[in-house]
């Protein structure tokens, strides 16, 4: 039997032998204290030296050598972790359900407890606020909170794109969607409140009749009327408002045909991405950090199809189009007038006799989808969309064959 065909139980047993040979009484990844009078760091340093020697002695390509190398990497990582030390929590910080609650004090009474819905009297009451999601509550309510912190989930979160997908109370077993309290007790029914964002029902303590704009209604109907939602949904929507997670093309591509401002934004974003290609190869643009003009909307220089709720709201309010037109004008000025390096990367239309320099982002320009050559739109249309450059490449290719 070859070493590569050994059963897993045997290789596990061999791994235990390796651990013992290294001078460790166990794998050192669970036990809290060092052994043999050494500190944890000293024991690990000794084990690493022993492991190095054993790697050199083991036969090449053997299973034992592979296990030793794996163990060496683990030991070095553990040593580095011990040297850096554990992450220290700040004073007056409490952790529960993913929240990192910081003890707060204030002279105002503008805050409300998310758990009991009561007013927080900052001058006389102890209260906490989560550093990640902003959840606030009384000190006495801290042990009974049921809502997990959303901050750790935002990186992979996305909006529900179904308009108020209501399921009914029976689907929730007649319980509140957040605190799980019964909605019906001894024949009496509590007031139930529907969340327009997720279609679930909540009790009065978890749904305060707050109103927010619903992403699904915006993308499907361009409807910005605020609807009543639960506290948990309100918190989620506010934390997600500036995150570019909406791809309209996947949900409702016809929206660009019906909303002129949105179509304008899409065209300006496509132009900006073309301009970005100029800036990345221009030392002047890199030195002046010209792309930072869009630092508040970083996704605009990464792609042209992802939107945040704030982008859509600003488009509806008439704010975004003028803002992008100003940026577009500044970028075009750099390429066409201010920078000789960028000017030199313009195009001459092969289909007409003019010497005018044109650029891919010009309003009257057309781009060949195959070779990216640039022509006047009218010239390209008169030529029935046939590209001279592509024709030359095809002739050259057939000639070489």
């Amino acid at each position: 039997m070859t070493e590569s065909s050994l059963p897993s139980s045997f290789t596990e047993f061999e791994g235990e032998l390796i651990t013992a040979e290294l001078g460790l009484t166990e794998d050192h990844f669970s036990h809290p204290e060092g052994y043999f009078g050494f500190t944890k760091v000293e024991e690990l340093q000794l084990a690493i030296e022993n492991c190095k020697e054993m790697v050199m002695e083991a036969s090449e390509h053997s299973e034992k050598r592979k296990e030793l190398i794996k163990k060496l990497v683990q030991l070095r990582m553990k040593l580095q972790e011990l040297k850096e030390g554990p992450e220290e929590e700040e004073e007056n910080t409490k952790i529960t359900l993913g929240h990192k609650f910081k003890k707060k004090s204030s002279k105002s009474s503008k805050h409300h407890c998310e758990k009991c819905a009561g007013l927080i009297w900052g001058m006389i009451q102890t209260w906490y606020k989560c550093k990640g999601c902003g959840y606030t509550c009384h000190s006495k309510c801290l042990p009974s909170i049921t809502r997990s912190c959303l901050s750790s989930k935002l990186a992979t979160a996305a909006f529900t794109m179904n308009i108020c997908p209501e399921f009914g109370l029976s689907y929730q077993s007649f319980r509140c969607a957040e605190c799980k309290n019964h909605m019906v007790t001894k024949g009496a029914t509590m007031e139930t409140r529907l969340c327009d964002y997720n279609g679930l029902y909540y009790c009065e303590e978890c749904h305060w009749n707050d109103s927010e704009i619903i992403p699904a209604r915006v993308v499907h109907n361009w409807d910005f009327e605020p609807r009543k939602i639960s506290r948990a949904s309100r918190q989620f929507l506010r934390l997600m408002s500036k995150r570019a997670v909406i791809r309209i093309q996947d949900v409702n591509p016809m929206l660009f045909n019906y909303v002129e401002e949105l179509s304008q934004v899409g065209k300006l974003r496509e132009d900006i991405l073309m301009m970005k290609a100029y800036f990345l190869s221009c030392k002047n643009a890199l030195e002046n950090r010209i792309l930072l003009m869009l630092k508040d909307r970083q996704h605009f220089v990464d792609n042209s199809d992802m939107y945040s709720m704030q982008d859509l709201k600003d488009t509806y309010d008439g704010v975004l189009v003028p803002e992008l037109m100003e940026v577009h004008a500044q970028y075009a000025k750099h390429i066409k007038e201010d920078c000789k390096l960028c000017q030199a990367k313009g195009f001459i239309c092969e289909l007409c006799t003019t010497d005018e320099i044109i650029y891919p982002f010009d309003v009257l320009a057309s781009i060949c989808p195959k070779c990216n050559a640039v022509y006047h739109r009218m010239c390209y249309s008169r030529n029935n969309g046939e590209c001279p450059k592509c024709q030359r490449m095809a002739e050259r290719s057939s000639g070489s064959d």
Side-chain angles (χ1 to χ4, degrees):
M1 181 181 291
T2 62
E3 287 185 327
S4 60
S5 61
L6 289 172
S8 59
S9 58
F10 183 86
T11 55
E12 288 172 7
F13 174 70
E14 189 179 51
E16 294 174 4
L17 288 178
I18 290 171
T19 299
E21 289 178 48
L22 289 173
L24 299 170
T25 54
E26 41 73 58
D27 65 5
H28 213 285
F29 296 93
S30 58
H31 204 282
E33 299 295 337
Y35 285 87
F36 311 122
F38 294 118
T39 64
K40 280 184 178 182
V41 172
E42 289 172 336
E43 185 185 355
L44 280 169
Q45 288 172 337
L46 181 62
I48 287 170
E49 291 303 318
N50 290 341
C51 192
K52 284 182 189 177
E53 294 176 6
M54 291 171 67
V55 168
M56 298 300 292
E57 293 171 0
S59 58
E60 196 172 358
H61 305 303
S62 66
E63 287 296 320
K64 183 175 182 179
R65 188 185 179 95
K66 291 178 184 177
E67 286 294 324
L68 282 166
I69 292 171
K70 188 189 298 183
K71 181 68 73 174
L72 182 60
V73 172
Q74 291 175 339
L75 289 169
R76 282 177 169 165
M77 290 175 63
K78 184 66 178 178
L79 179 62
Q80 185 66 26
E81 182 185 321
L82 285 175
K83 284 182 175 179
E84 290 176 355
E87 183 182 350
E88 294 183 5
E89 294 297 337
E90 296 179 22
E91 193 177 354
N92 296 325
T93 299
K94 295 187 178 182
I95 300 177
T96 178
L97 293 178
H99 295 283
K100 289 187 177 181
F101 284 109
K102 179 76 174 175
K103 191 175 181 180
K104 308 291 285 185
S105 61
S106 67
K107 295 180 181 179
S108 66
S109 57
K110 63 179 180 180
H111 301 285
H112 287 79
C113 176
E114 293 279 351
K115 178 59 185 173
C116 69
L119 194 65
I120 296 175
W121 297 92
M123 293 185 69
I124 59 176
Q125 289 180 313
T126 303
W127 62 288
Y128 289 85
K129 182 176 182 178
C130 176
K131 295 189 292 183
C133 67
Y135 188 102
T136 56
C137 68
H138 293 112
S139 177
K140 64 179 182 180
C141 297
L142 199 59
S144 57
I145 65 170
T146 54
R147 191 189 310 166
S148 299
C149 184
L150 294 172
S151 60
S152 60
K153 304 173 185 176
L154 293 182
T156 56
F159 290 122
T160 296
M161 281 300 154
N162 295 322
I163 297 176
C164 193
E166 186 179 353
F167 300 101
L169 268 174
S170 59
Y171 173 81
Q172 300 175 209
S173 302
F174 300 95
R175 293 175 180 268
C176 170
E178 182 176 340
C179 67
K180 308 305 179 187
N181 286 336
H182 279 285
M183 298 288 198
V184 180
T185 54
K186 296 182 179 179
T189 305
M190 298 169 58
E191 181 185 352
T192 57
R193 295 177 177 176
L194 176 67
C195 173
D196 195 83
Y197 171 67
N198 57 22
L200 299 176
Y201 286 90
Y202 294 80
C203 65
E204 296 176 22
E205 290 187 357
C206 301
H207 191 315
W208 301 1
N209 283 329
D210 298 300
S211 296
E212 289 287 342
I213 297 168
I214 309 300
R217 293 186 182 274
V218 171
V219 176
H220 286 287
N221 303 325
W222 202 239
D223 178 5
F224 285 83
E225 182 183 347
R227 300 306 208 284
K228 292 180 179 179
I229 58 172
S230 66
R231 292 296 289 180
S233 294
R234 174 181 178 270
Q235 184 186 40
F236 175 73
L237 291 177
R238 292 197 169 189
L239 288 171
M240 290 285 289
S241 65
K242 293 187 178 181
R243 291 182 172 268
V245 295
I246 302 172
R247 192 171 187 270
I248 298 175
Q249 201 67 28
D250 291 342
V251 185
N252 184 15
M254 296 299 292
L255 191 63
F256 291 100
N257 297 334
Y258 290 101
V259 183
E260 184 181 348
E261 295 85 354
L262 193 61
S263 179
Q264 282 183 274
V265 169
K267 178 64 172 68
L268 288 167
R269 289 185 63 178
E270 288 174 0
D271 288 351
I272 286 170
L273 280 186
M274 293 181 206
M275 295 174 178
K276 177 186 173 183
Y278 282 80
F279 300 148
L280 292 179
S281 59
C282 172
K283 64 178 183 180
N284 296 326
L286 293 174
E287 287 173 2
N288 296 329
R289 299 187 176 183
I290 195 167
L291 288 173
L292 287 181
M293 290 180 70
L294 286 168
K295 63 181 179 181
D296 295 330
R297 304 183 197 269
Q298 186 63 42
H299 51 286
F300 279 19
V301 296
D302 294 332
N303 56 69
S304 63
D305 57 358
M306 298 302 291
Y307 291 83
S308 68
M309 274 299 293
Q310 190 63 51
D311 296 334
L312 299 180
K313 185 177 183 302
D314 288 345
T315 302
Y316 179 77
D317 293 337
V319 175
L320 186 55
V321 172
E323 179 186 319
L324 281 184
M325 288 180 72
E326 175 62 26
V327 174
H328 187 283
Q330 291 292 329
Y331 284 2
K333 183 175 180 292
H334 171 89
I335 294 170
K336 292 183 172 183
E337 300 175 16
D338 298 342
C339 181
K340 298 296 182 183
L341 293 173
C342 292
Q343 283 180 34
K345 295 174 185 174
F347 293 79
I348 300 291
C349 179
E350 292 186 51
L351 299 172
C352 65
T353 57
T354 63
D355 293 332
E356 179 189 8
I357 299 174
I358 55 176
Y359 297 86
F361 50 84
D362 284 339
V363 176
L364 299 178
S366 284
I367 306 171
C368 173
K370 294 181 180 178
C371 68
N372 295 324
V374 181
Y375 306 95
H376 289 117
R377 182 172 297 173
M378 291 296 294
C379 299
Y380 195 61
S381 178
R382 287 196 203 103
N383 206 45
N384 298 319
E386 293 182 2
C387 172
K389 184 178 176 181
C390 288
Q391 289 175 349
R392 288 197 303 272
M393 292 170 64
E395 290 170 6
R396 201 175 299 137
S397 177
S398 61
S400 62
D401 293 341

